[in-house]
Amino acid sequence: MHAWRRWASALLLVLFSIGLAAPARASAGGPHVLPIAQARTLPPGTVVTVDGSATTPSGAFESSFFDKGFAVQDRSAGIYVSVAVDLSIAVRSQVRVTGTLRDSSGLLILVPDDPAAVFVHGKGPKVRPTPLATGAVNEASEGKLVRVVGRITQAPASDPPFGFKFFVDDGSGELTIFVNTQTGIDLTGLAVGQTVSVTGFSSQFETHYEIDPRFPADIAVRHR
């Protein structure tokens, strides 16, 4: 169920933003930029600085993440940055972020203590989605921009007010596709049996993995 999706993490974001808890520090010195893959190996509560090219725009997943965050990716990995205000981050913005690693219903996220800890410095490289089998969207791909091609096994269904979801499978395992309301993606016409290409953020909610598309162009029907 998405009814309580990441609600507790959203509350924690507010609590930490007003200084009700003190996170552990990654080091005693100044910010040291880590490869995102290395940052992802550190325990929740650690403060890290990462630098990457934005792969999702600000607020695209607000209806289910309860924030106006975005994702960044470098050559090693990707991660979602959870912020409460809209920083107008566009895809390919090069962003340096210092924040605290947190677990949000199974998804590792980075939570800045203050919007000033998010620094946009130019245009980043275009991140190409990693092609994966539907059954290979898992912990190893979490945080990255990925693409799958599979057959629709369950038609789009409304999950108000959070968005819509449907399921695809290329024979390697069924995968959830979760479409947030802010993306404006129209799922009209999608039906069981169609083959579709889906690009989006490799995410996790509790025990299942999913792809969260960003734009209408991220879902395309493949015609034989």
Side-chain angles (χ1 to χ4, degrees), residues 8 167 192 210 212:
F167 297 81
V192 171
E210 63 186 40
D212 297 350

Side-chain angles (χ1 to χ4, degrees), residues 72-114:
V72 294
Q73 186 170 330
D74 62 13
R75 292 179 180 273
S76 67
I79 196 166
Y80 186 80
V81 179
S82 180
V83 289
V85 296
D86 188 354
L87 299 178
S88 300
I89 303 298
V91 170
R92 291 191 68 181
S93 295
Q94 188 68 26
V95 189
R96 180 171 298 174
V97 184
T98 298
T100 306
L101 295 170
R102 300 285 174 210
D103 177 271
S104 176
S105 300
L107 177 68
L108 182 67
I109 64 174
L110 186 61
V111 183
D113 290 334
D114 187 278

Side-chain angles (χ1 to χ4, degrees), residues 106-192:
L107 177 68
L108 182 67
I109 64 174
L110 186 61
V111 183
D113 290 334
D114 187 278
V118 179
F119 175 61
V120 178
H121 56 108
K123 188 174 184 179
K126 182 177 181 179
V127 177
R128 298 187 181 278
T130 300
L132 293 175
T134 55
V137 176
N138 54 30
E139 194 69 28
S141 67
E142 185 183 290
K144 292 182 179 179
L145 187 67
V146 300
R147 176 178 292 149
V148 299
V149 176
R151 185 176 63 85
I152 297 176
T153 55
Q154 297 184 48
S158 178
D159 188 10
F162 313 104
F164 298 82
K165 59 183 176 182
F166 64 99
F167 297 81
V168 298
D169 194 344
D170 62 4
S172 64
E174 192 175 59
L175 175 67
T176 303
I177 308 299
F178 192 86
V179 179
N180 288 266
T181 57
Q182 285 76 20
T183 63
I185 298 173
D186 183 4
L187 302 179
T188 303
L190 293 187
V192 171

Side-chain angles (χ1 to χ4, degrees), residues 5-10 65 102-109 204-206:
R5 186 182 175 94
R6 313 192 198 285
W7 183 89
S9 294
F65 281 45
R102 300 285 174 210
D103 177 271
S104 176
S105 300
L107 177 68
L108 182 67
I109 64 174
Q204 180 180 357
F205 177 60
E206 295 184 346

